[in-house]
Amino acid sequence: MRMGEKPSLSCCVCGHRRKILAPEDGLEEEPMSQSPTQALLGCDEKQKERSTSVSSTVINNRLQELVRLFKERTEKVKEKLTDPDITSDEESPTASPAKPALPTAPVPPQGEQPEGEKVAEEEHYCEMLCCTFKYRPWLDRLRNYQFPSSIDPLTNLMYVLWLFFVVMAWNWNCWLIPVRWAFPYQTPANIHCWLFIDYLCDLIYLLDILVFQTRLQFVQGGDIISDKKAMKENYLRSQRFKMDLVCLLPLDFFYFRVGVNPLLRFPRCLKYMAFFEFNNRLEAILTKAYIYRVIRTTAYLLYSLHVNSCLYYWASAYEGLGSTTWVYDGEGNSYIRCYYWAVKTLITIGGLPDPKTLFEIVFQLLNYFTGVFAFSVMIGQMRDVVGAATAGQTYYRSCMDSTIKYMNFYKIPKTVQNRVKTWYEYTWHSQGMLDESELLVQLPDKMRLDIAIDVNYSIVSKVALFQGCDRQMIFDMLKRLRSVVYLPNDYVCKKGEIGREMYIIQAGHVQVLGGPDGKTVLVTLKPGSVFGEISLLAAGGGNRRTANVIAHGFANLFILDKKDLNEILVHYPESQKLLKKKAKKMLKSNNKPKDVKGVPGDSLIIPPKPDTPKLFQAALAAAGRTGGKGPLAQLRWRLRELKAIQATQVSMGRMTLAARQGQSPSSRHTVLPALQELPLKTPYAGLSQATEKENGPALFFSLLSSKCLF
């Protein structure tokens, strides 16, 4: 016996081998304590039943396969007749075979490294003082870094960082030169600290002129110029180069004649062009630029107060500290007290001592005029900054107020009004705007396409309906998507309505309802799912929805209208053919009835014959072997007679039905074969009609009970 085969026993008479059936085969093991005749009859009957069942199964499977092939062929012919554009069964042309890849280097086994990597790794180590050190990676990158030959001033973040240092040096000069000139904070004891920071700022100015400004790209005639010589010449001809030269005038040599006077460094404050350029570049990269604008406007006001406080201390020192009630008396922190006086003067709060001398009166008048002008400019600029920052909020509030006023005028129910308010609030807080399409209207088509690809292409490319289509067609379709927000329990689409849109879930969840009551949740769709895509290409104005779809919570969906898709497909005929073919196949697969659980999907063309009880089968077989004598033989003939009578009754019923319907009966083909099977002599002909209607096993057991067999 081979491995894996079931053990078998041979018949004691015919030598036929019978396998011992395991419990998992679904049959009981046949007992071996039988006579040779019974074993022989059992083997013959089992062989006949097995051969019959196998042949019927093979024939049934073959017929089902033929029926399926004929159906598929008929459907293909119908598709070609109805749609002549479909010329092949392939959905898209097969790609040409790719070129064989170049042989790659063998992969080293695990735990080993290629030789190149080993050498590179060893170069990171150095031996010093009998120890092994490893250089830090950032030091290696810094040592191997090469300064770019040209710099894009609009997108290079390194240039923005450098402008930050330049602006810090410029602010040092703008804020500290007046303080050192007016207040006695610069002394011989700390003069070296002031000079060190001054010359450090001068070094930053010089590097900006020699290294950065000469490498900035510029646009000439629509072309971006990155040539070194051209960039250098463009900077030397610019107004900025002239201002940079004035900023670095070497007036510090006059220190040897008049002493260290901070006013000699006043030209350093003329590098204001770097400050405004830094503002523009920083606002372009910040997500909330209005915050920086508010801080910058506040800094303008503080700087004007700072300069005024320095001038007040200088005027007090010129008149003499404490000489009059108007000047600074020299007590306390001089800068803080002068700054307080400047705030009261520029903002015109009042409560200041009256000036006494002509110099004090003129100085106070100039302060008042300057304060009114500067403060009004600051307030106006602050209003513009705050207004620009809250422009979207103002638009949202005005739209909501207008909608509420409209609903109140027409007496809309409160439930509807509450849902409208909820939609406004959620849409604004989730998106920051009411309509995303309005934000991109001013952009050119190419930029809108780039934004749409980054936002929506990863989702649309996964839709089975659009796979294999022209890539440019999908790009054009991305620009037509519009965003819609649905509230909890809002119907996205209802059963029976005509579908004219496709939905893509961007955020939130939606539920598909079905069942007898239409409220059973069949499936919950998550972000990234797509539904309703078949309705875009359905004929006859759109197919009807087969289920209700509601929003489980707040759901943000992208919608593509059928009208927009048809306008796009006019320019892509090949994709249009492919989409039509896919839509038909998807509709057929959706409309095909699914098999109920527990019911086979394909009905048998030749139904299997019901099994005959083993005991009754063995008895009939034994009666056939004995030559047709005895009670069992008579019972066998009686069963044949009953089958013939049943066939005759069925034929007579068909003839009667045909006669009632006015059709010509064909009894010759149905009655004669049944009558020919009747025996000439049938024993036990006096049985009742009730006994004739019984089947074989019931009749056998009824005869046993009436002792007609023994």
Side-chain angles (χ1 to χ4, degrees):
M1 182 175 64
R2 297 179 181 179
M3 293 293 293
E5 292 186 356
K6 296 182 180 181
S8 59
L9 297 176
S10 59
C11 181
C12 57
V13 178
C14 62
H16 177 68
R17 300 185 65 86
R18 296 189 295 113
K19 293 181 180 180
I20 300 177
L21 302 178
E24 59 270 10
D25 294 334
L27 301 175
E28 298 178 357
E29 183 179 355
E30 297 180 1
M32 294 299 299
S33 59
Q34 295 180 354
S35 61
T37 304
Q38 293 177 349
L40 179 61
L41 294 176
C43 290
D44 293 340
E45 294 297 330
K46 288 182 179 295
Q47 289 179 1
K48 291 180 181 179
E49 288 182 2
R50 289 175 182 175
S51 61
T52 304
S53 61
V54 170
S55 60
S56 62
T57 303
V58 172
I59 294 172
N60 182 67
N61 294 337
R62 182 57 181 167
L63 289 176
Q64 290 180 357
E65 184 69 19
L66 290 175
V67 170
R68 187 181 62 81
L69 293 176
F70 278 121
K71 286 183 178 180
E72 292 180 357
R73 182 179 178 183
T74 304
E75 294 295 333
K76 291 180 181 179
V77 173
K78 287 182 179 180
E79 289 182 2
K80 291 182 179 180
L81 292 177
T82 55
D83 191 356
D85 293 333
I86 300 177
T87 57
S88 63
D89 296 335
E90 297 182 0
E91 296 182 357
S92 59
T94 56
S96 58
K99 295 182 179 179
L102 297 176
T104 57
V107 180
Q110 187 176 4
E112 299 183 3
Q113 296 180 351
E115 297 181 359
E117 295 183 3
K118 289 183 179 179
V119 174
E121 185 177 353
E122 291 175 357
E123 290 177 355
H124 285 289
Y125 292 90
C126 65
E127 295 183 0
M128 181 182 298
L129 301 177
C130 301
C131 298
T132 304
F133 297 93
K134 185 176 180 180
Y135 294 118
R136 296 180 181 178
W138 66 271
L139 290 177
D140 294 338
R141 291 196 299 268
L142 184 62
R143 185 172 61 251
N144 299 328
Y145 178 76
Q146 295 181 357
F147 198 81
S149 59
S150 63
I151 301 174
D152 185 4
L154 301 179
T155 59
N156 197 320
L157 297 180
M158 182 190 66
Y159 180 66
V160 178
L161 180 61
W162 172 252
L163 286 178
F164 171 75
F165 291 108
V166 175
V167 170
M168 291 295 294
W170 177 77
N171 277 280
W172 167 267
N173 293 318
C174 291
W175 287 74
L176 271 300
I177 287 177
V179 172
R180 293 161 60 185
W181 166 71
F183 292 92
Y185 291 153
Q186 178 178 308
T187 61
N190 59 11
I191 189 63
H192 60 280
C193 297
W194 293 103
L195 293 178
F196 173 77
I197 301 178
D198 288 343
Y199 293 133
L200 181 61
C201 295
D202 294 346
L203 177 62
I204 294 176
Y205 280 15
L206 187 62
L207 290 176
D208 181 62
I209 295 174
L210 299 178
V211 179
F212 285 89
Q213 297 301 322
T214 56
R215 298 171 185 261
L216 293 182
Q217 300 175 3
F218 65 98
V219 180
Q220 184 178 8
D223 297 331
I224 299 176
I225 307 301
S226 58
D227 182 65
K228 291 183 178 179
K229 185 177 180 181
M231 291 186 297
K232 185 176 181 180
E233 292 178 354
N234 178 70
Y235 173 64
L236 295 178
R237 292 193 304 264
S238 64
Q239 183 69 22
R240 185 167 183 174
F241 174 70
K242 300 176 182 179
M243 297 297 297
D244 291 343
L245 284 182
V246 175
C247 289
L248 291 178
L249 286 177
L251 300 180
D252 298 350
F253 289 104
F254 289 98
Y255 287 170
F256 299 101
R257 186 175 181 85
V258 297
V260 181
N261 190 353
L263 288 180
L264 294 175
R265 294 187 55 84
F266 182 76
R268 304 295 190 272
C269 300
L270 298 179
K271 201 175 177 62
Y272 60 90
M273 299 181 69
F275 171 72
F276 290 109
E277 185 182 6
F278 173 73
N279 291 333
N280 296 333
R281 301 292 178 263
L282 188 61
E283 290 179 3
I285 63 176
L286 291 177
T287 56
K288 296 182 179 180
Y290 67 90
I291 297 179
Y292 175 72
R293 297 191 189 106
V294 172
I295 296 175
R296 185 183 62 196
T297 306
T298 306
Y300 291 160
L301 178 60
L302 296 178
Y303 182 74
S304 61
L305 296 174
H306 169 77
V307 173
N308 194 21
S309 63
C310 295
L311 292 175
Y312 175 66
Y313 186 86
W314 170 81
S316 299
Y318 178 79
E319 288 287 321
L321 298 179
S323 60
T324 63
T325 58
W326 180 83
V327 298
Y328 171 61
D329 55 2
E331 297 180 359
N333 191 310
S334 58
Y335 180 79
I336 297 298
R337 290 181 176 271
C338 291
Y339 199 91
Y340 174 74
W341 181 90
V343 170
K344 296 180 67 175
T345 304
L346 289 182
I347 304 180
T348 64
I349 297 177
L352 295 174
D354 296 331
K356 303 298 182 181
T357 64
L358 179 62
F359 177 80
E360 295 177 356
I361 294 173
V362 173
F363 188 87
Q364 189 71 2
L365 289 176
L366 292 176
N367 262 331
Y368 281 144
F369 283 119
T370 306
V372 171
F373 176 75
F375 195 70
S376 61
V377 171
M378 297 302 170
I379 291 178
Q381 188 173 3
M382 188 68 72
R383 181 199 60 188
D384 295 338
V385 171
V386 176
T390 60
Q393 182 78 18
T394 304
Y395 174 74
Y396 152 71
R397 181 58 57 186
S398 62
C399 291
M400 188 172 181
D401 294 341
S402 301
T403 306
I404 294 175
K405 183 178 179 181
Y406 172 83
M407 291 188 296
N408 291 332
F409 179 78
Y410 285 99
K411 299 180 180 179
I412 304 299
K414 289 295 183 182
T415 55
V416 179
Q417 292 190 21
N418 293 334
R419 294 185 65 83
V420 171
K421 294 177 183 178
T422 305
W423 181 88
Y424 268 106
E425 293 178 0
Y426 176 78
T427 304
W428 172 255
H429 290 295
S430 61
Q431 300 180 168
M433 63 194 71
L434 298 179
D435 190 2
E436 294 180 353
S437 60
E438 296 181 356
L439 184 65
L440 306 177
V441 169
Q442 299 177 355
L443 295 178
D445 291 340
K446 184 62 175 63
M447 292 186 180
R448 280 188 290 171
L449 176 60
D450 295 340
I451 295 176
I453 291 174
D454 294 335
V455 176
N456 305 327
Y457 182 75
S458 59
I459 299 177
V460 178
S461 60
K462 298 179 182 179
V463 181
L465 183 64
F466 301 123
Q467 292 181 359
C469 295
D470 195 331
R471 187 182 183 89
Q472 188 61 38
M473 188 272 293
I474 298 180
F475 289 166
D476 293 343
M477 186 182 62
L478 293 177
K479 295 186 294 185
R480 305 296 184 96
L481 295 177
R482 56 188 178 90
S483 178
V484 178
V485 175
Y486 288 90
L487 302 182
N489 300 324
D490 272 356
Y491 278 90
V492 180
C493 57
K494 293 186 178 181
K495 182 178 181 181
E497 68 179 8
I498 302 299
R500 298 183 181 89
E501 303 92 5
M502 180 191 74
Y503 302 91
I504 304 174
I505 303 176
Q506 182 188 16
H509 298 77
V510 299
Q511 294 179 341
V512 181
L513 305 182
D517 55 351
K519 298 182 180 179
T520 304
V521 179
L522 301 180
V523 66
T524 300
L525 302 178
K526 298 181 179 180
S529 302
V530 181
F531 61 96
E533 65 272 20
I534 304 178
S535 62
L536 293 179
L537 295 171
N543 65 302
R544 296 186 179 274
R545 305 291 189 185
T546 58
N548 295 328
V549 180
I550 66 171
H552 180 61
F554 290 97
N556 195 340
L557 307 180
F558 285 122
I559 296 180
L560 177 63
D561 293 333
K562 178 185 288 187
K563 179 181 177 181
D564 296 335
L565 182 62
N566 292 336
E567 293 177 357
I568 296 173
L569 291 179
V570 172
H571 307 285
Y572 304 95
E574 296 297 330
S575 298
Q576 186 177 13
K577 297 176 185 179
L578 179 60
L579 289 177
K580 286 184 178 180
K581 185 176 180 181
K582 283 188 175 183
K584 290 181 180 179
K585 289 188 177 182
M586 296 175 73
L587 281 173
K588 290 177 182 178
S589 61
N590 290 345
N591 296 332
K592 184 177 180 181
K594 298 181 181 180
D595 300 333
V596 183
K597 187 176 180 180
V599 180
D602 298 328
S603 59
L604 296 176
I605 299 178
I606 302 178
K609 183 180 179 181
D611 296 336
T612 307
K614 295 182 179 180
L615 181 59
F616 184 62
Q617 185 178 1
L620 292 179
R625 298 291 182 180
T626 56
K629 297 180 181 181
L632 290 178
Q634 295 176 0
L635 178 61
R636 188 175 183 181
W637 285 104
R638 183 58 180 169
L639 291 176
R640 291 185 179 180
E641 180 184 0
L642 291 176
K643 291 180 180 180
I645 292 174
Q646 292 177 358
T648 305
Q649 292 177 354
V650 172
S651 300
M652 294 299 294
R654 292 178 179 176
M655 292 170 59
T656 305
L657 181 60
R660 292 179 179 177
Q661 296 179 355
Q663 300 177 359
S664 57
S666 56
S667 60
R668 178 176 60 185
H669 302 286
T670 56
V671 180
L672 290 180
L675 294 177
Q676 290 176 0
E677 295 182 2
L678 291 176
L680 296 177
K681 293 182 180 181
T682 56
Y684 300 97
L687 293 175
S688 62
Q689 295 182 358
T691 308
E692 294 175 358
K693 295 182 180 179
E694 295 178 354
N695 54 11
L699 179 61
F700 173 72
F701 287 109
S702 63
L703 292 175
L704 285 178
S705 60
S706 60
K707 300 180 181 181
C708 62
L709 298 178
F710 305 99

